[in-house]
Amino acid sequence: MKTSEKSPHYPLGFRRSLAPLVSAIALQSACGTSPGSDQGSVGGAAPSAGGTTPTAGGSGGMLASGGTPSGGVGGSSQSGGASAGGSLSSGGALSGGSGGVASGGSEGSVGGAGTGGSVASTCVPDGKAHNPLVTQIFTADPNAIVYGDRIYVYTSHDEDNQEGFDMVDYHAFSSDDMVNWQDHGVLIHANQLSWAQNLYAPGACSKNGKYYIYIPNSGSAIGVGVSDDPGGPFEDPLGRALITPSFPNANVPWLFDPACFIDDDGQAYLYFGGGNSGANARAVRLNDDMVSIKDSSATTIPTTAFFEASFMHKREGKYYFSYSSDFSNGHGAALEYLMSDSPMSGFEYKGAFVPNAQINNGNNNHGSIIEFQGKSYVFYHNRKLEQELGVDKVNNRSVALQELTYKADGTINTVTMSQDDHTVSQLKCLDGFLEVQAERLAEEQGIEVEGKAGETIRIAQISNNDWVAYSQVDFHDGATKLVAKVASSSAGGTIDIVVDGCIGGAAGTSIGTCAVVSTGGAQQFAELQCPIESTAGGHDLCLRFGDSPSFQLDSWHLE
Ligand code: FUB
């Protein structure tokens, strides 16, 4: 990606607030912890974990600046997935590898990828999800679904500076804590689909161990992608669309916005459609194979002011069909809903539950609702990021997340679209002793996430003062090292390891700075050993880059 096409960053004001700190960091030694760090200062910030026991005052420096790789074992190339990386230990030499994911799979998907053992945790998270959820790209049309112990949010990907809706690929973001969201890269691209040019709002489902995304070709047809992993990559099993306007009763103005729903008895449904008036919502039952239709014609779901963005969820035996409303009297791209006792008929209109707002420029909206670990959440998109960036269009959207509650009778309490920078509470700490994909982040500045699902997804296009931050990382009863899996064809650049900083613009405290050496290739990932001041408990962790970084970052863990 050319610099001019670089994805959205935080507004300038945000950058400026970091400037003085970044200059100070440049004075630190290239390797090891900051000279003069205050012993115990980090420990003071650690919640009830016995504080920090700093190691010998700011020493360390295991990694010799300018070290060169030797051995050449275990490095991974970008294509064919991330394999075990080599390790850059003292003096910058490559040694044995660890971690990584199997070729073809998704990094850190259901089941996770991890190294290292865990010890007792006292971390109590106090993080909040960023609004919008993702800033490295523009995202829209969130279709959230719970798979195992993680939420996956499948999104359209608004291209930077797009004039219309020119989207050509999908991303998924997954989390088990609501605040750190892993970018699974490009799941599928329009150039893989002979029948599609523009990929609009996706719908997701899983059955019989397979994961499906239903794919609209703008407003003209719906196809399907399948994968063995919720994080992709997805393939097109049919080589054609699944639903076209010739399917009986499917010829609506916009044949798009598929939402997949599987009932408790295993029957799968697809809801779709769009166009002004309440007559354009449709539903069909899918066969068990999930790639063919059981019904001989689509069923109309009568709605009030239906526009687009069908979604179905079930709660306590009631079916909720939600959608984005048209611009007729008193509506205007609000998220509205119907309720019923059955999935395809008998719906009663209940009204709007997310009124549209200025933060969305009064333009289109698209939502989904899930229940996760005892709470309900609504995902939708807004225009907050493009407003902050001064892009001032309507086509660069960003996904947001808020909690949703119900009344005793099952109707939904109104959710006011949040203007805040942070919304829902973090559910658990991020275990730093397990391998953490670098793109499983809470907030960032300046970086890009690159890669296709099934390959090495990584932090890339890193410039001076860029950073990536993780909310409420569990350092357990003490970590003394951060091991970062990096790739670089030359020596250059530093990673400053900061606790209790970067999220929300906080300065934080540096607990170590690591110089990156050559790993033998721009896509040759190897482990860089970065000593840190011994740090315990729960902390926001920020990796701040400097000194002309020319590397990419795949993952990290604490030891
Ligand atoms: O993202 C393109 C279209 O905009 C979606 O298909 C609609 O739901 C609206 O969000």
Side-chain angles (χ1 to χ4, degrees):
M1 188 184 283
K2 295 195 291 284
T3 310
S4 59
E5 294 169 341
K6 217 175 170 190
S7 293
H9 306 151
Y10 275 97
L12 276 176
F14 197 91
R15 286 176 172 280
R16 265 198 298 274
S17 67
L18 291 174
L21 187 68
V22 165
S23 316
I25 288 159
L27 299 174
Q28 295 176 2
S29 75
C31 314
T33 51
S34 327
S37 309
D38 230 347
Q39 291 207 353
S41 62
V42 176
S48 65
T52 292
T53 315
T55 48
S59 68
M62 273 177 68
L63 185 68
S65 177
T68 51
S70 63
V73 278
S76 75
S77 66
Q78 180 186 345
S79 59
S83 62
S87 177
L88 288 166
S89 59
S90 184
L94 271 170
S95 60
S98 66
V101 295
S103 175
S106 171
E107 294 180 320
S109 286
V110 171
T115 61
S118 299
V119 287
S121 168
T122 53
C123 183
V124 179
D126 65 359
K128 296 262 188 190
H130 190 254
N131 178 20
L133 219 51
V134 173
T135 54
Q136 63 267 29
I137 57 169
F138 290 113
T139 53
D141 304 329
N143 188 275
I145 188 163
V146 177
Y147 290 145
D149 62 357
R150 277 171 103 133
I151 300 169
Y152 281 77
V153 187
Y154 295 83
T155 72
S156 303
H157 168 200
D158 284 353
E159 296 287 316
D160 295 3
N161 306 314
Q162 67 181 13
E163 298 293 336
F165 291 123
D166 305 327
M167 303 87 77
V168 289
D169 58 21
Y170 292 137
H171 281 242
F173 302 88
S174 73
S175 180
D176 63 358
D177 64 22
M178 311 305 296
V179 176
N180 297 292
W181 289 90
Q182 180 168 344
D183 187 337
H184 291 272
V186 175
L187 305 183
I188 193 167
H189 192 282
N191 61 20
Q192 293 170 247
L193 306 170
S194 57
W195 52 272
Q197 292 78 46
N198 286 116
L199 306 190
Y200 280 19
C205 254
S206 173
K207 191 162 192 182
N208 300 328
K210 299 271 185 200
Y211 298 88
Y212 298 89
I213 46 174
Y214 294 88
I215 304 170
N217 175 27
S218 53
S220 65
I222 295 169
V224 59
V226 64
S227 176
D228 292 330
D229 188 303
F234 286 83
E235 287 173 3
D236 173 12
L238 298 177
R240 58 173 169 77
L242 171 65
I243 307 176
T244 64
S246 63
F247 188 82
N249 197 34
N251 192 11
V252 287
W254 302 324
L255 179 41
F256 74 175
D257 287 3
C260 181
F261 165 73
I262 300 186
D263 208 346
D264 301 331
D265 61 2
Q267 176 61 55
Y269 299 83
L270 207 57
Y271 299 83
F272 59 93
N276 282 302
S277 98
N280 293 313
R282 297 289 185 271
V284 290
R285 290 179 299 164
L286 295 169
N287 285 318
D288 254 10
D289 64 8
M290 301 295 280
V291 299
S292 62
I293 298 167
K294 194 173 197 173
D295 297 326
S296 52
S297 71
T299 296
T300 300
I301 307 286
T303 56
T304 298
F306 176 77
F307 194 57
E308 57 189 7
S310 297
F311 188 76
M312 170 61 69
H313 76 282
K314 188 179 185 182
R315 178 181 175 269
E316 295 180 357
K318 298 284 183 198
Y319 297 84
Y320 294 76
F321 176 79
S322 52
Y323 57 96
S324 180
S325 61
D326 68 17
F327 292 81
S328 60
N329 270 352
H331 296 281
L335 298 183
E336 310 204 9
Y337 73 113
L338 320 173
M339 285 175 71
S340 176
D341 292 327
S342 70
M344 284 175 94
S345 61
F347 286 99
E348 199 177 310
Y349 176 66
K350 296 294 180 185
F353 65 101
V354 184
N356 214 354
Q358 183 47 39
I359 198 167
N360 213 8
N361 290 351
N363 210 281
N364 69 30
N365 203 355
H366 192 119
S368 54
I369 297 168
I370 55 152
E371 195 174 320
F372 186 66
Q373 295 180 6
K375 285 186 173 179
S376 292
Y377 300 94
V378 58
F379 294 77
Y380 57 87
H381 63 227
N382 64 27
R383 271 76 177 175
K384 185 170 184 279
L385 184 59
E386 70 164 21
Q387 287 178 6
E388 287 171 352
L389 292 168
V391 178
D392 198 25
K393 292 182 184 152
V394 294
N395 298 324
N396 291 131
R397 302 162 291 179
S398 300
V399 166
L401 157 69
Q402 285 182 245
E403 206 173 320
L404 174 142
T405 56
Y406 295 84
K407 296 189 175 73
D409 65 359
T411 56
I412 303 174
N413 287 314
T414 301
V415 176
T416 302
M417 278 186 169
S418 178
Q419 303 271 351
D420 296 343
D421 287 343
H422 295 93
T423 55
V424 309
S425 295
Q426 188 162 347
L427 298 178
K428 59 191 266 200
C429 294
L430 180 62
D431 191 340
F433 278 76
L434 298 177
E435 196 69 17
V436 177
Q437 293 302 318
E439 65 279 6
R440 184 179 176 179
L441 58 99
E443 297 183 24
E444 59 83 24
Q445 176 177 275
I447 57 90
E448 300 284 358
V449 174
E450 289 188 350
K452 293 180 185 160
E455 299 177 354
T456 303
I457 315 294
R458 64 232 177 245
I459 304 296
Q461 298 195 34
I462 302 171
S463 305
N464 281 336
N465 305 333
D466 287 354
W467 52 260
V468 57
Y470 308 87
S471 180
Q472 295 296 285
V473 173
D474 192 349
F475 285 66
H476 291 270
D477 58 359
T480 55
K481 194 202 281 183
L482 183 141
V483 180
K485 198 180 283 181
V486 295
S488 181
S489 57
S490 60
T494 52
I495 302 174
D496 190 27
I497 300 156
V498 174
V499 290
D500 306 320
C502 295
I503 287 183
T509 305
S510 173
I511 56 171
T513 303
C514 213
V516 175
V517 298
S518 170
T519 59
Q523 297 298 329
Q524 186 80 20
F525 285 91
E527 288 184 341
L528 182 67
Q529 314 284 325
C530 305
I532 56 174
E533 291 177 29
S534 181
T535 303
H539 302 273
D540 293 341
L541 171 66
C542 180
L543 304 181
R544 196 162 40 207
F545 309 110
D547 202 20
S548 304
S550 58
F551 56 88
Q552 300 190 339
L553 176 65
D554 177 22
S555 62
W556 57 267
H557 69 266
L558 301 171
E559 289 181 2

